Amino acid sequence: MAGDTRLAIIIPCYNEELVLSDTVNTLINVIDDLVNKNKISENSYIYLIDDGSKDTTWNIIEMFREKYGEKIKGTKFIRNYGNQKALIAGLTGAKEIGCDCVVSIDADLQQDENAIETFIDEFHKGAEIVSGIRNDRKTDSFFKKYTAIGFYKVMNILGVKIPQNHSDFRLVSRKGLEVLSHYPESGLFLRGFFHEIGLKTSYVNFNVKPRMAGCSKYNFFSLMSLALNGITSFSIVPLRIIAAIGVLTILGSIIFSVDVVLEKILFDNAPSGYATLAILLAFFGGLQLFCLGIIGEYVGQIFHEVKNRPRYIIEKEIK
Ligand code: UDP
Ligand code: MG
């Protein structure tokens, strides 16, 4: 029955003291409304994962626990591990606590919380995954907008068909959580993962709002790191491109050598040119370092995975 559905809303939080109270109050209202409409059960809850915040985020979580009891649950990481790890902790924790489906949403509520109702409707119609698709990127900075568009283009060229404009605003069913629990890799890129596993997926469009307060927790380096992790954990096409460049270079150099030898034999014309040599040397030196860098990214992935360290360490929990 629809009204029996136990929903967990998980929220990764990193230094979100400025927005968290508003967010929790809004989401409590969303839950109450869905309970009144008999779409979810009364024991649905909000699960906040404090990703090693240095401000009063955890105190706010404790304060809400006092106020709303079991409706609020929380986990605090010992340090900052990044939004993907916080989301994985939320999904894993919600599976342990018990739920029929989980919706992940950002602490700044940039994603439209009213879309959660449509997510639940899609879940009741049989979807195991419901991915939120943002209608536009008007709230993004110029830099973020174009790096994001570029990222999805590159991913598509590399054969990873993740939907464009999907962030981590999604519903995952218990079955999806079960599948996730069989993937121990520490650098899991959730957007790619939930798209790849092949469970029945629906897409719901939503409007993006500007951040209520505070600032984005992503900078140039963390965005690049997320993008590189996404690419190297889902595609080995870059390695094949390197091999293809190698083969093309060898073919080119064979043609060039034959040309040099023939010119010498037929016309006694030995090629000269310091500039040509210097340019070729610099070009191929650069190309080799670039290719090594790409291989290095994969070696880095292996390095992190092979050590098999825990994804995160939990300092405190209220469940
Ligand atoms: N976040 C996190 N750990 C981090 C960075 C971000 O848990 O190291 C959370 C953050 O609190 C928010 C969500 O991830 O709930 C998205 O972050 P933000 O809104 O800063 O990203 P943006 O909307 O600018 O992409
Ligand atoms: Mg945001």
Side-chain angles (χ1 to χ4, degrees):
M1 237 198 45
D4 291 340
T5 303
R6 190 178 190 195
L7 166 70
I9 300 185
I10 61 167
I11 313 176
C13 316
Y14 180 52
N15 294 341
E16 298 288 9
E17 63 182 5
L18 294 177
V19 295
L20 201 55
S21 299
D22 283 345
T23 299
V24 173
N25 284 323
T26 308
L27 291 175
I28 288 277
N29 287 339
V30 169
I31 288 185
D32 288 346
D33 181 46
L34 291 174
V35 171
N36 289 338
K37 289 179 177 163
N38 206 25
K39 292 194 175 183
I40 59 170
S41 79
E42 270 190 17
N43 60 355
S44 300
Y45 56 94
I46 297 176
Y47 182 22
L48 301 133
I49 303 89
D50 180 345
D51 184 12
S53 299
K54 293 178 187 66
D55 64 1
T56 59
T57 296
W58 184 251
N59 303 0
I60 298 173
I61 295 172
E62 285 182 327
M63 188 268 289
F64 274 110
R65 170 66 174 214
E66 293 264 298
K67 188 170 170 195
Y68 291 112
E70 302 253 311
K71 255 190 176 166
I72 303 288
K73 303 182 192 294
T75 287
K76 182 172 171 56
F77 284 171
I78 205 156
R79 67 162 169 86
N80 179 245
Y81 287 92
N83 143 300
Q84 294 289 294
K85 299 277 165 47
L87 283 170
I88 293 174
L91 294 164
T92 314
K95 179 171 176 275
E96 280 163 16
I97 297 166
C99 65
D100 296 295
C101 57
V102 181
V103 168
S104 46
I105 191 164
D106 286 351
D108 53 7
L109 276 197
Q110 281 196 270
Q111 298 129 333
D112 183 6
E113 67 280 357
N114 297 314
I116 295 177
E117 182 169 354
T118 325
F119 282 20
I120 298 287
D121 292 341
E122 289 298 314
F123 171 70
H124 287 146
K125 281 187 217 153
E128 301 283 353
I129 310 283
V130 185
S131 293
I133 307 287
R134 48 198 296 168
N135 282 331
D136 56 59
R137 291 195 166 270
K138 280 185 201 143
T139 56
D140 275 357
S141 65
F142 178 85
F143 168 75
K144 191 158 180 200
K145 181 173 170 178
Y146 288 99
T147 44
I149 292 172
F151 171 70
Y152 288 111
K153 285 241 159 68
V154 170
M155 288 298 264
N156 267 290
I157 292 168
L158 297 178
V160 191
K161 305 276 183 249
I162 49 175
Q164 281 212 9
N165 296 331
H166 165 58
S167 48
D168 284 306
F169 184 31
R170 79 168 74 76
L171 176 145
V172 179
S173 69
R174 196 162 38 186
K175 198 165 177 183
L177 298 180
E178 183 60 37
V179 177
L180 176 71
S181 66
H182 295 296
Y183 280 68
E185 67 184 83
S186 84
L188 207 56
F189 181 63
L190 292 170
R191 284 169 220 190
F193 171 76
F194 283 117
H195 193 65
E196 198 205 47
I197 53 175
L199 288 172
K200 189 168 184 284
T201 306
S202 290
Y203 299 94
V204 170
N205 284 74
F206 70 91
N207 288 324
V208 188
K209 297 175 273 182
R211 201 175 227 281
M212 286 186 276
C215 57
S216 172
K217 306 297 178 295
Y218 280 100
N219 57 31
F220 173 78
F221 295 105
S222 47
L223 273 179
M224 284 303 127
S225 160
L226 183 68
L228 279 174
N229 180 36
I231 293 171
T232 50
S233 57
F234 276 92
S235 175
I236 56 158
V237 173
L239 295 176
R240 297 205 168 126
I241 294 176
I242 292 176
I245 293 174
V247 171
L248 288 178
T249 313
I250 291 170
L251 285 179
S253 68
I254 290 174
I255 295 167
F256 186 56
S257 323
V258 170
D259 176 57
V260 169
V261 172
L262 285 182
E263 279 208 34
K264 175 72 186 160
I265 294 172
L266 298 179
F267 308 110
D268 196 22
N269 181 13
S272 65
Y274 164 80
T276 322
L277 265 185
I279 291 168
L280 283 177
L281 209 67
F283 175 74
F284 284 106
L287 189 66
Q288 280 174 354
L289 283 180
F290 175 71
C291 294
L292 269 179
I294 292 178
I295 297 168
E297 280 298 323
Y298 286 90
V299 175
Q301 278 277 17
I302 300 167
F303 171 75
H304 284 306
E305 294 299 336
V306 91
K307 282 189 293 182
N308 207 12
R309 289 183 179 169
R311 280 173 173 148
Y312 43 78
I313 310 276
I314 291 172
E315 189 185 335
K316 294 179 199 165
E317 273 184 309
I318 21 179
K319 283 190 171 167

